[in-house]
Amino acid sequence: MIIVDDVRQTDRRRKPAMLLLPKCLYEAHYKSITIHYKRHTERMRLIIFSLSYTFLIWGIFSSLTPTYASAEINVWPKPTSLSWPHPQAALLSPGFYISSPNHPYLSPAVNRYLLQILTEHYQPVVEPSVNLSASAPPLQTLAIIVADLSAPLHHGVNESYSLFIPSDGDTANLTAETVWGAMRGLETFSQLVWGNPSRVPVGLYLWDSPLFPHRGIMLDTSRNYYPVKDLLRTIGAMSANKLNVFHWHITDSHSFPLVLPSMPELAAKGSYGPTMQYSPADVAAIVRFGLEHGVRVLPEIDSPGHTGSWAEAYPDIVTCANMFWWPAGSEWADRLASEPGTGHLNPLNPKTYEVVKNVISDIVTLFPEPFYHAGADEIIPGCWKADPAIQSFLSDNGTLSQLLEIFVNSTFPYIVSLNRTVVYWEDILLDDNVKVDASFLPPEQTILQTWNNGPNNTKLIVSAGYRAIVSSSEFYYLDCGHGDFIGNDSQYNQPPTSGDSGNGSWCGPFKTWQAIYNYDITYGLSQEETKLVLGGEVALWSEQADPTVLDARIWPRASAMAETLWSGNRDESGMKRYAEAMDRLNEWRYRMVSRGIRAEPLQPLWCIKNPGMCNTVNPFV
């Protein structure tokens, strides 16, 4: 099959060109699909292959008609390819329904979207300038065709889909290789419906697929606790933004909120209390909710650092637990932690590995996700040096890096033996003081998540042959810019002429949606290195966040990353499209709010109602 390249941003993917063909040919093709809808899966694959080939033929004609009409409709993230050559709409039938194959996760999604489509009646802030077609009948059905109903929700699963809404028929068609692609298409269709009575664009052709397979949000539930309902709402909003990985940083030095069947004392003594724990039943509900929304739940149990909360149940395996984090009169280099909340697991204590392996075993049982995030960031020398046995080890010419290698060599093979790929924070290989030799981390079984030094550390990771998840704090840390939580902090007592150094936030200033949107996570990489970048995650650490601010801290800034990782941040000519993204993101933010997500505002309402009037036409830099 001939393939046409999309060279908009990278050559990470190849896709069919835009769908433009005489309408009769297009609709005849889809009628054929509908007729064969319930036949054997292998036949569905042939139909989808045929459809992709037809898309290619349509591409020959695509230069004759603009891909976007002046009466643009709003879908976030922006689809890869969308054509609406003759803008018009039809009413949605009051009896509208969705036909789809039966599937344990797709079927609940279909029911959820059907209810939303029939009851949402979203009224855009700026009404689409499109008239109802005089000839189009009310849309009666959305028919979903899935080629492979068995593909699991794992990294790299096919999420592509195509959507056709005819101008003279009552059935729209959504075709996907997997149920996860069908879920992405359902979200797109739901965003295409607006008004009361409900309208839907007709004569619309769409093909869509993500640039990056890993598109996530990391949430820290140790420093402050989030009830299950908040996690579910976040996962639901992620699905609406076509994000697919909920990276759950469950434990840290501050609390251990997860109840583990084999080690219940960790939560009983290490959590903030019985009302601030996640039971195995809670985890099962969260994982299933994720599957029904096409979102993987990736657990992180950070170790050997950030483990002070383990000491409440197992004090013998934790060094420097419950000690003051930066002793008076000591240098910063001699601190016991980088923030209040001390404690590292002791690599020299055999009991450590009994506990750790039980924890790992329980996590693998609770979470079906094939990735296991083992943390390994911010090993603070002073904490390990506070332990007498480690002091003796160091006096015998041992090193802190050797201590970390002992821990990794005792845990990494065990995680791998449980059929998991291990994810670590970048520190394990790149830290200035404590790191392991690369020989301990086979690239085939290791993924590194970067959070420092922007594209420079991403370059170091992929040039060493490792796959990378990008969470550069300079762009993707959503907690930054709110000051610091340390009390008695003298940096705030400075003369008013001393200048602003970030208002006490180590990673300030605040990361605006524009900074997030314009960040190219493969900047400076070769074509081969780019292939090792799996995607990215925005991160919300919770020193100064809890359920009262959760939605506003995440949304709509995470939406900005969602679009860049789905369809890029550049237009067809290769230019950054942040200018036109403002109005679209504004509209999407209002729709999220209408769906119960308390996303923070981006502009005064006046700006949205007067498109372009709040822009600048003069460069600031």
Side-chain angles (χ1 to χ4, degrees), residues 371 421-424 443 445-449 466-469 534:
F371 288 1
T421 297
V422 188
V423 185
Y424 291 113
Q445 299 159 329
T446 308
I447 298 168
L448 298 181
Q449 186 162 4
Y466 291 96
R467 291 164 288 172
I469 298 169
L534 304 185

Side-chain angles (χ1 to χ4, degrees), residues 348 382 384-398 403:
L348 299 181
W384 270 347
K385 289 178 180 179
D387 180 78
I390 291 177
Q391 291 173 10
S392 177
F393 174 84
L394 296 176
S395 67
D396 289 338
N397 298 317
L403 274 178

Side-chain angles (χ1 to χ4, degrees), residues 491-538:
Q491 68 179 312
Y492 293 108
N493 183 27
Q494 300 297 324
T497 57
S498 64
D500 180 11
S501 61
N503 290 319
S505 175
W506 74 269
C507 55
F510 180 86
K511 311 309 174 190
T512 66
W513 79 264
Q514 295 96 330
I516 294 170
Y517 193 87
N518 284 317
Y519 184 38
D520 291 327
I521 64 173
T522 59
Y523 179 83
L525 304 184
S526 69
Q527 187 174 10
E528 289 303 307
E529 290 170 340
T530 294
K531 294 177 182 178
L532 292 174
V533 177
L534 304 185
E537 294 176 3
V538 289

Side-chain angles (χ1 to χ4, degrees), residues 515-594:
I516 294 170
Y517 193 87
N518 284 317
Y519 184 38
D520 291 327
I521 64 173
T522 59
Y523 179 83
L525 304 184
S526 69
Q527 187 174 10
E528 289 303 307
E529 290 170 340
T530 294
K531 294 177 182 178
L532 292 174
V533 177
L534 304 185
E537 294 176 3
V538 289
L540 181 59
W541 300 100
S542 292
E543 287 91 342
Q544 295 171 288
D546 68 9
T548 65
V549 300
L550 175 63
D551 288 6
R553 291 284 167 87
I554 293 179
W555 311 107
R557 290 186 291 160
S559 303
M561 184 199 70
E563 178 158 296
T564 65
L565 299 187
W566 182 271
S567 57
N569 57 11
R570 299 176 185 271
D571 61 22
E572 288 76 8
S573 68
M575 296 292 292
K576 289 282 185 74
R577 63 186 185 198
Y578 59 90
E580 64 89 19
M582 169 65 90
D583 290 340
R584 293 189 297 107
L585 183 55
N586 255 325
E587 189 70 70
W588 174 230
R589 179 261 171 186
Y590 271 88
R591 190 156 198 165
M592 282 197 292
V593 170
S594 76

Side-chain angles (χ1 to χ4, degrees), residues 5 15 68 79 142 189 216 226 253 298 434 437 517 581 588 620:
D5 276 333
K15 66 177 185 65
Y68 282 91
L142 174 64
F189 185 86
Y226 296 82
S253 279
L298 166 57
V434 186
D437 187 270
Y517 193 87
W588 174 230
F620 284 108

